[in-house]
Each structure stands twice: as C-alpha cells, then as structure tokens.
Amino acid sequence: MTYAVTDNCIRCKYMDCVEVCPVDCFYEGETMLVIHPDECIDCGVCEPECPAEAIKPDTQPDLESWLALNAKYAKEWPNITAKGTQPADAKEWDGVADKLQTVFKPGAAR
Ligand code: SF4
Ligand code: F3S
C-alpha cells in the first residue's frame, strides 16, 4: 500500500505534506509533488495535512493513473525534505478541475 498525490496538488503545491512525512518520500516537480511508492510507509499522516485534499490512499478506487504518475515522476524529480514557498496564486488554483490536462508540467522543480 502507498499514498498518491492527485490532481488538486497541481499549481497549489502547498508543501505542508513534506513537513510531516517521516521518511521524506516526496519528490518535487515544477507544478506538483509526488510520493515514491516504494519509500512510503503508509503512515497516513500527510493525508489530513494537505489543505488541497490532494493526497489519497491507494485503497481508494480509480487511483491507478495517479499511482502510475507518482511512481514515474518520483524517479525523475528531486527529493524534497522541507516546505518551500508555495505559489503566489495557489489559492486561485485550489479546486480547479482537470489540471493534469491543462496546467501540469512534467519538468522537475529545478
Ligand atoms: Fe510520507 Fe506517511 Fe504520507 Fe507515505 S503516508 S507519503 S510515509 S507521510
Ligand atoms: Fe500538494 Fe497538498 Fe503537498 S497541495 S504539495 S500534496 S500539501
């Protein structure tokens, strides 16, 4: 079992999740974070910390594409262990639908 970051993280990227993860298994892209499925210990503490409610357990139905996306980019993006500065317009993107199709960027954070 693992947890996965999903659509509403995109361009919100609040990063509160990073601060609470005991094993530092978040990886940072330009527009969102992902969780490394082999490093996540399923503790669940990040899920309620995300203001965008973007983190879901893999027991939730219809999460396959997000699990695959997290696994793919966790291998490509750099590890993040401390909360950075959230995007200035994060709140404006909170709740916008289908951000993966419209504003997701596949590049690493830096
Ligand atoms: Fe980290 Fe726990 Fe969240 Fe997994 S469930 S990403 S180990 S805080
Ligand atoms: Fe994203 Fe939520 Fe973390 S918006 S960066 S999953 S706190």
Side-chain angles (χ1 to χ4, degrees):
M1 192 187 149
T2 183
Y3 280 70
V5 184
T6 63
D7 199 74
N8 205 34
C9 178
I10 298 169
R11 292 199 71 164
C12 288
K13 204 174 157 182
Y14 290 121
M15 293 174 279
D16 296 19
C17 52
V18 173
E19 291 291 305
V20 299
C21 181
V23 294
D24 292 336
C25 64
F26 282 91
Y27 292 78
E28 185 182 12
E30 186 176 344
T31 53
M32 74 178 290
L33 266 51
V34 292
I35 293 169
H36 196 308
D38 299 334
E39 297 174 359
C40 174
I41 59 169
D42 314 322
C43 70
V45 298
C46 58
E47 183 184 7
E49 292 299 319
C50 175
E53 298 182 4
I55 301 175
K56 309 291 182 190
D58 69 358
T59 49
Q60 179 175 301
D62 303 323
L63 208 68
E64 288 81 7
S65 64
W66 287 107
L67 289 164
L69 184 146
N70 278 244
K72 170 181 166 65
Y73 290 111
K75 296 191 189 80
E76 299 179 16
W77 294 346
N79 188 232
I80 175 172
T81 58
K83 179 178 164 76
T85 306
Q86 70 188 48
D89 58 355
K91 285 202 167 48
E92 292 165 36
W93 287 101
D94 199 341
V96 174
D98 300 326
K99 290 185 280 184
L100 181 63
Q101 280 77 35
T102 55
V103 292
F104 171 77
K105 291 196 170 72
R110 51 191 171 266

